[in-house]
Amino acid sequence: MIELRGLTRTFGERIAVDNLDLRVESGEICALIGTSGCGKSTTLKMINRLIEPTAGQVLINGEDVRRQPPEQLRRRIGYAIQGVGLFPHRTVYDNIAAVPRLLGWTRLQIDDRVRELLELLKMAFDTFAHQYPHRLSGGEQQRIGVARALAARPELMLMDEPFGALDPLTRERLQGELKQIQRLLGITIILVTHDMEEAIRLADRIAVMDGGRLLQVGTPLELLRHPREGFVSQLVGGEERALRLLSLRTIAELMQPAELFALTDDTPSIAAGSSLRDALARQLWQRAPVLRVVDAEGKTCGAIGLEQMLNAGDGN
Amino acid sequence: MRFGIDRLGLTLAIAAGLSLLLPLVNLQPNRILPGSAVALDLLLAQPGMQLFILILLPTLLISAVHAHATLKLLLGALSLLALIYGVGASGDALLQDQGPFARLALGSGFWTLSLLLGLLMTDALIKQRIGALLRLLLVGVYLALIFALLASGHWDGISLLLEYHNQPAFWQQGARHLLLALGSILPALVIGVPLGIRCHRSPRLRTALIPLLSLLQTIPSLAMFGLLMIPLSLIALAYPALAALGIRGIGAAPAVIALFLYSLLPIVSNTAAGFDGVDRNVLLAARGMGMSRRQLLWQIELPLALPVMLSGLRIVVTMNIGLVAVAGLIGGGGYGTYIFQGLGQTATDLVLLGTLPTILLAFLAAMLIDTLIAMTRKEDA
């Protein structure tokens, strides 16, 4: 569990972060969202002491981060940034091995860990391990950046707009992979972003910041349904909120028994695990008011019509 | 392979053809008196020169069209060797019936041809895109071949070699030349690199220091030697023990100090520029993963700044090898000694005996550092 208590940082006259209180539970992804200059990156950097707070404290599992030297603290915390910052003069292998080497792991341990991580990120060891970073695509570089951050098995990972520089397709794929990995490893992630879609897709809880202050914290659903007036409700989007809400819920939650509809062989089908947003898109695209819902084995397990959709996207 | 005219090659070929009209060698009655050009037809009667022309003609033809760079390189190299051999081998026949002090001096045609063939080879070498290490090796082997030709005795009638045989200390002077050049660079590195790193971290230090070092660079070398002579002489007078160590107004001390001062600017500014060039994201990531300042410096900043720092070193090494020649004037030793002796005696070939090795040393040192730079850049190029 990470606790920020009365965290404040000023740069000269300017207050970058203003008396911020936040609790992030172990094993959850918390997104810090806001426009640029709102203090979200500064907040992140105060957690691993890249910036020291003017006032307040950061507790990790109840222990003040200032109780240990910053270098030792940082080696226990994963850190991934937008620019990736892979070491250009070192191979992928040596990049991933950086923190384990700082921690004095044996060669065998390091070798096992690098192989394990490349496999986790679906990158073939023989193809990638001995490449230099400039030979990799942007998406591959960021994967290695994440692998490097995870190398020493941190319980906490800090990410500063890690996918900001990627094209939308790659970004979405990496977001999916990150979520899977996070669930698999059970680590805590604090993610800085300015992209509401990203926050909704990834985060268990979203903390909205503006002008150095925390405006609202809640699950994506809470935020979309009951955004505070002003900045937060602007950020979650006016009309778009409906679609965002749909994207948070699965078809399985809302589908009806198949017998209620006259399904034919021509009725398009969709997987039960897809989001309602996907279902709506399919309905519009194929001009089908009703979709057949199928389970993982491809068997019909229900159906969903436009009417159910209309009831799900109104914010209640 | 594309057929057609290679413009650069054609230009070189035409120029090389025309330079045959310049005197290749001059016949001098002795080492001081100016000689007269040996007529081309007389020269071409010599078998050694006939061999040279036989190789030169296809070389020029091939050089003028698009052809494989290896072929051009090989022909150019052969031509230059043949020229050196031909000129030397003609010596005995041309010097027959001449006085005992008569000698052959290399003429403008020889130097122009050598230069043009050198350009031809350089162009071919660049188009080959071979690795820096292999290139260094090739040049080394080729120079060894040329030296073998010079040492073979064929050139003993050429006045440059006669001057060489008059200078038993030639190689010691070479060692001294390098010692003076490198001896001033080492302290400049020890002081300049940390200063450069400081400049990178502190803009205030940089704005104060860089103009000062630039100012030092603008002082002409002779003036700098002169400026240093006075305080050094006074020190030598006051502390005879230091004078015994060689700290005197003339000699090596002012030369090394002046070269040290000249070396500071390229080393400091390139170190600072190299450190400036390190990607901020890389530094942020390195700090964020828990590297200490020392680890950051040795594992990240220095290796990434190294290519730029080395190109500063390259400037300094070539510059200093050239400047050491000036130190000959104040008794510093090195090849400059021959240059100034030669100027005093109006013996052109003694001047050349000082100049050519200086150029060669600078050229080789630059190539050596280029190879180092290529090796450090290998990973992120």
Side-chain angles (χ1 to χ4, degrees):
Chain A
M1 183 187 63
I2 292 86
E3 233 183 316
L4 315 183
R5 280 193 198 157
L7 209 56
T8 301
R9 172 71 204 204
T10 55
F11 294 106
E13 293 285 286
R14 200 172 67 82
I15 302 173
V17 177
D18 190 3
N19 198 17
L20 188 123
D21 292 295
L22 180 69
R23 268 174 71 127
V24 180
E25 301 298 330
S26 293
E28 75 172 8
I29 301 184
C30 173
L32 285 178
I33 190 167
T35 51
S36 49
C38 71
K40 55 193 195 297
S41 283
T42 306
T43 306
L44 199 72
K45 284 177 179 159
M46 283 192 280
I47 297 173
N48 66 359
R49 295 185 63 187
L50 282 170
I51 295 177
E52 297 288 358
T54 312
Q57 52 181 174
V58 175
L59 304 174
I60 296 182
N61 295 331
E63 192 192 342
D64 193 321
V65 293
R66 273 175 299 186
R67 300 250 323 254
Q68 53 179 320
E71 281 85 19
Q72 272 174 32
L73 172 77
R74 290 177 202 145
R75 288 170 197 175
R76 285 178 39 214
I77 302 177
Y79 189 52
I81 54 177
Q82 174 171 5
V84 192
L86 292 181
F87 303 144
H89 58 307
R90 294 195 183 170
T91 60
V92 163
Y93 186 104
D94 292 331
N95 265 285
I96 298 177
V99 185
R101 282 198 182 125
L102 292 177
L103 291 169
W105 289 19
T106 65
R107 285 178 62 155
L108 210 65
Q109 285 173 313
I110 293 174
D111 202 67
D112 285 347
R113 185 61 179 157
V114 174
R115 284 172 192 278
E116 195 180 344
L117 281 165
L118 283 174
E119 196 178 323
L120 188 68
L121 286 146
K122 304 183 183 76
M123 297 176 83
F125 182 88
D126 294 327
T127 318
F128 289 102
H130 301 293
Q131 297 271 18
Y132 284 95
H134 67 95
R135 301 280 299 269
L136 307 179
S137 71
E140 287 164 349
Q141 288 189 15
Q142 192 49 275
R143 274 201 185 85
I144 301 303
V146 172
R148 183 173 68 174
L150 290 171
R153 299 198 177 84
E155 286 170 25
L156 168 65
M157 181 153 71
L158 307 177
M159 307 184 89
D160 198 341
E161 303 201 22
F163 310 125
L166 303 175
D167 64 88
L169 269 177
T170 311
R171 185 186 311 150
E172 215 168 303
R173 200 161 60 228
L174 280 187
Q175 284 165 346
E177 284 174 19
L178 178 69
K179 184 119 183 171
Q180 273 180 11
I181 290 171
Q182 185 264 344
R183 292 290 182 250
L184 191 71
L185 304 177
I187 58 174
T188 313
I189 294 180
I190 301 179
L191 172 95
V192 159
T193 182
H194 61 255
D195 175 4
M196 198 42 146
E197 299 289 337
E198 179 164 277
I200 291 172
R201 195 171 293 144
L202 287 177
D204 299 301
R205 281 194 314 141
I206 299 176
V208 182
M209 285 183 70
D210 189 40
R213 290 168 168 277
L214 197 59
L215 296 186
Q216 189 175 3
V217 186
T219 65
L221 213 58
E222 284 166 5
L223 228 62
L224 284 170
R225 286 195 170 146
H226 312 292
R228 275 178 54 176
E229 283 298 305
F231 183 75
V232 183
S233 84
Q234 245 176 30
L235 200 68
V236 298
E239 317 274 88
E240 240 179 284
R241 268 169 67 195
L243 290 175
R244 286 177 171 159
L245 272 169
L246 287 181
S247 74
L248 282 175
R249 306 177 66 182
T250 61
I251 294 171
E253 292 176 39
L254 235 71
M255 67 184 180
Q256 304 289 310
E259 301 81 54
L260 295 181
F261 298 90
L263 299 180
T264 68
D265 286 348
D266 290 338
T267 311
S269 49
I270 191 160
S274 308
S275 74
L276 289 175
R277 187 178 182 154
D278 293 339
L280 181 64
R282 178 70 60 87
Q283 286 170 333
L284 292 171
W285 187 247
Q286 305 205 332
R287 292 195 184 180
V290 178
L291 296 177
R292 179 196 300 272
V293 181
V294 295
D295 60 17
E297 277 110 46
K299 276 190 284 189
T300 305
C301 58
I304 188 159
L306 260 181
E307 218 155 319
Q308 283 84 46
M309 297 293 211
L310 290 178
N311 291 331
D314 65 353
N316 301 304
Chain B
M1 197 174 2
R2 287 183 304 131
F3 286 95
I5 299 296
D6 177 341
R7 283 205 207 162
L8 176 65
L10 180 66
T11 316
L12 288 177
I14 292 174
L18 288 175
S19 65
L20 281 175
L21 301 175
L22 296 169
L24 276 176
V25 286
N26 297 317
L27 191 63
Q28 281 182 321
N30 60 44
R31 74 185 279 244
I32 310 296
L33 286 176
S36 52
V38 177
L40 190 61
D41 54 341
L42 188 62
L43 208 55
L44 288 183
Q46 306 302 322
M49 290 308 288
Q50 286 166 0
L51 176 70
F52 163 62
I53 295 294
L54 215 61
I55 297 176
L56 181 69
L57 287 180
T59 304
L60 298 187
L61 280 177
I62 294 289
S63 115
V65 297
H66 287 297
H68 209 286
T70 314
L71 184 65
K72 290 190 178 185
L73 183 62
L74 207 65
L75 281 171
L78 270 178
S79 291
L80 187 57
L81 282 179
L83 174 64
I84 292 169
Y85 167 75
V87 166
S90 311
D92 285 343
L94 293 172
L95 286 173
Q96 257 176 3
D97 314 323
Q98 303 291 332
F101 299 112
R103 51 186 62 205
L104 286 178
L106 301 166
S108 51
F110 175 87
W111 297 118
T112 315
L113 260 177
S114 306
L115 182 73
L116 291 169
L117 288 172
L119 282 176
L120 182 74
M121 285 190 276
T122 311
D123 182 47
L125 210 52
I126 291 168
K127 284 183 181 147
Q128 277 286 47
R129 293 170 198 280
I130 51 175
L133 210 57
L134 184 60
R135 193 169 58 205
L136 190 67
L137 192 73
L138 279 181
V139 171
V141 169
Y142 191 64
L143 283 175
L145 277 176
I146 290 181
F147 278 121
L149 260 182
L150 295 186
S152 68
H154 285 299
W155 263 47
D156 288 350
I158 305 288
S159 103
L160 188 63
L161 261 251
L162 290 172
E163 296 290 357
Y164 165 71
H165 288 308
N166 278 339
Q167 302 295 344
F170 180 82
W171 295 100
Q172 282 99 299
Q173 291 288 29
R176 187 170 176 79
H177 198 104
L178 278 181
L179 192 73
L180 286 178
L182 302 181
S184 53
I185 289 172
L186 202 67
L189 280 176
V190 170
I191 294 176
V193 169
L195 265 183
I197 297 174
R198 288 271 166 79
C199 279
H200 158 72
R201 296 193 177 140
S202 151
R204 269 173 62 192
L205 179 66
R206 180 185 296 208
T207 46
L209 189 65
I210 298 288
L212 186 73
L213 294 179
S214 307
L215 189 73
L216 280 178
Q217 289 265 318
T218 62
I219 303 175
S221 48
L222 272 179
M224 181 83 97
F225 294 151
L227 283 176
L228 289 169
M229 273 180 192
I230 303 160
L232 284 171
S233 307
L234 292 178
I235 290 172
L237 275 178
Y239 304 97
L242 283 179
L245 286 174
I247 312 287
R248 278 177 298 237
I250 57 167
V256 168
I257 294 174
L259 294 179
F260 161 76
L261 292 175
Y262 285 135
S263 306
L264 281 176
L265 178 69
I267 290 175
V268 170
S269 61
N270 275 55
T271 302
F275 275 68
D276 292 346
V278 178
D279 186 350
R280 299 177 71 92
N281 283 315
V282 171
L283 295 177
L284 180 60
R287 287 212 306 135
M289 71 170 56
M291 280 196 182
S292 64
R293 282 201 86 88
R294 180 182 294 245
Q295 287 164 335
L296 201 66
L297 177 70
W298 287 99
Q299 297 183 27
I300 308 297
E301 289 180 295
L302 265 176
L304 289 176
L306 197 60
V308 181
M309 292 168 69
L310 280 177
S311 60
L313 183 66
R314 183 188 192 278
I315 297 173
V316 166
V317 169
T318 45
M319 182 179 79
N320 277 15
I321 288 176
L323 281 176
V324 167
V326 186
L329 192 64
I330 54 165
Y335 287 130
T337 315
Y338 298 150
I339 298 178
F340 291 107
Q341 274 177 19
L343 284 174
Q345 302 167 7
T346 62
T348 319
D349 286 290
L350 187 55
V351 176
L352 281 178
L353 189 69
T355 313
L356 290 176
T358 307
I359 296 173
L360 191 67
L361 280 180
F363 169 76
L364 282 178
M367 260 193 82
L368 203 67
I369 297 174
D370 279 342
T371 309
L372 281 179
I373 295 176
M375 282 162 69
T376 55
R377 280 216 163 117
K378 191 176 60 185
E379 304 91 329
D380 52 346

